[in-house]
Amino acid sequence: MLLIDRAADIHKQEDGCSHWPKSAMKMNLFLSIIMVFVVHCSIAASVVVAVTNITVDQQALLTLKAHITDDPNNPLLSNWSSNTFFCNWIGVTCDVRETVTALNISHFDLRGTIPSQLGTLSTLQTLNLSNNQLSGTIPSSIFNISSLQILDLSNNQLSGSFPSIIFNMTSLQTIRLGKNSLSGELPGNVFDNLPNLKFLHLSGNMFEGRIPSTISKCKELQLLNFRTNSFTGEIPREIGNLTKLQEINLGYNNLQGVTCGARHRRVTALELSDTGLTGTGPPEMGNLSFLGWLSFHNNNFHSSLPEEFWNLGRLKYIRFGKNKFVGAIPSSLCYLSKLEILDLYKNMLQGHIPETIGNLPKLKRLYLDENRLSGSIPSTIFNISSLQVIDVSDNQLSGSIPSAIYNMSSLQTIDFSTNNLSGPLPSNMFSHLPSVQELYLSCNQLFGPFPSNLFLCNKLILLSVVLIIEHITDFHRWNFTEDRRSCEFEGIKLTSKQPNRAYSYRDWELDPVEDA
């Protein structure tokens, strides 16, 4: 009997789950029903939210389409139709929930205005309407999109002031509003809540007033471009706290002060052209060890060229033209082994052109014109095989044209005009200048026969020989008219008038690092 009871106990333990009390089983069933109901409600709610977002997003896009008055390439009129799913429309990107995350309809030459309804695209991360002809104002509702990371409205015809609402866009990384007609002052609090902003382009507008010091709150800022506006006052010292800056472009404003130094070691481009800066060349620039572009063009600096600049071994572009720099050109510039463009024109520099310029192996353009340089043209310059433009005009240079110019296959523009160069032109001067397009020799004391091998310069389009004609023999072959003003020969424009140079070969400017 005892054995039978023990066996029964063992059976109950092995089959314990099937012997719960009935009340526990009822509770388990009730909880299961509740869980099924909750899951069902959650799915239903998700569907409702998704349908609502789809309706809102599609309506916002259709409103934008309605605001487009001219669509020459016809992408919106033909493709943006209620007959097709809006996530498949041109320029529209959706996520897995079928809500709009990116809108890119740039470069379509669209005309019209931007509707405020775009601010209802609640999951939008990228808005790119650049390179069109959109007009009107920027809707402030756009800045209510908390998910927005990239805003590009550049190169349009937008007007009005910068939205004065208090931004609270912690996700925003790029603002590009350049090349529009925006005006007025930037609100003082515009940068208060943009902690992740990396790229800020406001160039080519009509903004005025002071640059807000609150820009220092954008600790992640890498590129600052306010070029070609009407900003005034001091450059905020607080910019000195932006240690991640790589490019500063404040050129063509009316600013004062230079705020860049040891804290900005990451800066690769500094553009302060035509800003009204005065005083001496700031030696603290020598701390910018990563600097590749440096421009103080058209200011009022009146010191000697700071020696500290020549220690910046990564420099590729130096643009100091149209200032009042004095003294000699330092021979230590030879340490700039990566230098491609050296522009020192229209200053008050004196002394000889240093022979060490010939040690700049990557130099492409050399502008030393309109200074007070004397001595001869160093023959070492013509050892630079990459040289494309040399302009040493309007100085007090003397001596003969270096014979080393013979073998310069890369040279496109040569300007030796308005100096005191003398002697005959080298007989084989044009034998190895196959790329030369413009040659200025006027206003010197050159004499002797004109080299007949000029014909080998088959790309030559302009030759200036004013005031040397009377001293050049054997020039009758060019068949000048009696007044010796101009003639055409084999497609070459020959002139005995001082050319009105627009410096087309000097038209270069900062090509800023753009965000992808």
Side-chain angles (χ1 to χ4, degrees), residues 74-123:
N74 210 29
L76 273 65
L77 293 179
S78 62
N79 184 260
W80 286 28
S81 169
S82 57
N83 296 327
T84 58
F85 185 43
F86 69 90
C87 286
N88 295 329
W89 290 354
I90 289 176
V92 177
T93 302
C94 296
D95 59 14
V96 293
R97 296 175 299 172
E98 298 180 345
T99 57
V100 177
T101 58
L103 176 59
N104 185 348
I105 49 174
S106 60
H107 296 275
F108 281 123
D109 203 26
L110 301 172
R111 295 176 184 268
T113 58
I114 303 174
S116 60
Q117 286 82 351
L118 286 187
T120 63
L121 297 173
S122 59
T123 60

Side-chain angles (χ1 to χ4, degrees), residues 242-509:
L242 300 175
T243 58
K244 294 185 179 182
L245 270 177
Q246 297 180 22
E247 181 179 314
I248 304 174
N249 192 337
L250 304 178
Y252 301 92
N253 285 282
N254 189 20
L255 300 168
Q256 301 172 15
V258 178
T259 304
C260 202
R263 294 185 179 182
H264 293 120
R265 293 186 183 276
R266 296 189 184 187
V267 171
T268 60
L270 179 61
E271 163 66 284
L272 295 174
S273 296
D274 205 356
T275 54
L277 297 174
T278 61
T280 60
E284 60 267 23
M285 296 296 141
N287 294 319
L288 305 180
S289 55
F290 284 88
L291 199 63
W293 176 289
L294 180 58
S295 178
F296 292 149
H297 175 77
N298 199 18
N299 283 290
N300 291 301
F301 290 112
H302 51 73
S303 66
S304 59
L305 295 170
E307 286 283 346
E308 291 82 0
F309 288 173
W310 317 120
N311 296 324
L312 301 175
R314 290 183 171 90
L315 270 178
K316 292 183 178 180
Y317 311 101
I318 294 179
R319 195 183 188 199
F320 292 170
K322 297 185 73 172
N323 279 280
K324 297 178 182 178
F325 284 114
V326 298
I329 301 174
S331 60
S332 53
L333 62 82
C334 65
Y335 298 123
L336 304 179
S337 59
K338 296 184 178 181
L339 195 64
E340 296 180 11
I341 297 177
L342 177 61
D343 186 350
L344 302 177
Y345 100 102
K346 206 168 187 178
N347 279 282
M348 302 169 65
L349 299 171
Q350 298 176 314
H352 292 188
I353 300 173
E355 295 273 349
T356 53
I357 283 185
N359 296 330
L360 301 175
K362 296 184 178 181
L363 193 65
K364 295 179 180 178
R365 302 186 185 189
L366 176 62
Y367 304 105
L368 304 179
D369 47 311
E370 295 190 54
N371 281 284
R372 301 173 182 177
L373 299 171
S374 58
S376 59
I377 300 174
S379 60
T380 55
I381 292 178
F382 303 102
N383 294 330
I384 306 173
S385 60
S386 58
L387 195 63
Q388 298 173 5
V389 176
I390 176 171
D391 189 346
V392 295
S393 62
D394 293 279
N395 279 288
Q396 301 166 18
L397 299 172
S398 58
S400 59
I401 295 177
S403 59
I405 197 174
Y406 295 165
N407 191 19
M408 293 292 295
S409 59
S410 61
L411 266 179
Q412 300 174 14
T413 299
I414 303 171
D415 196 341
F416 294 158
S417 63
T418 317
N419 279 288
N420 296 315
L421 299 175
S422 60
L425 295 177
S427 59
N428 59 349
M429 177 176 177
F430 305 115
S431 296
H432 300 286
L433 295 174
S435 301
V436 70
Q437 299 175 21
E438 299 182 29
L439 176 61
Y440 302 92
L441 302 175
S442 56
C443 300
N444 281 289
Q445 303 299 320
L446 300 168
F447 59 85
F450 200 87
S452 59
N453 55 7
L454 177 67
F455 302 105
L456 298 175
C457 300
N458 54 20
K459 294 184 179 179
L460 188 66
I461 57 176
L462 195 150
L463 171 64
S464 174
V465 290
V466 66
L467 293 188
I468 68 169
I469 296 175
E470 301 298 337
H471 306 286
I472 295 290
T473 60
D474 198 26
F475 209 82
H476 61 278
R477 82 185 81 197
W478 302 106
N479 297 319
F480 265 84
T481 54
E482 287 187 3
D483 62 2
R484 292 187 173 183
R485 293 189 127 194
S486 65
C487 73
E488 292 283 344
F489 186 87
E490 296 290 336
I492 302 172
K493 181 69 174 179
L494 299 166
T495 178
S496 60
K497 293 195 303 182
Q498 180 68 16
N500 181 17
R501 292 171 298 177
Y503 290 102
S504 59
Y505 53 86
R506 197 194 302 277
D507 290 341
W508 54 279
E509 60 181 43

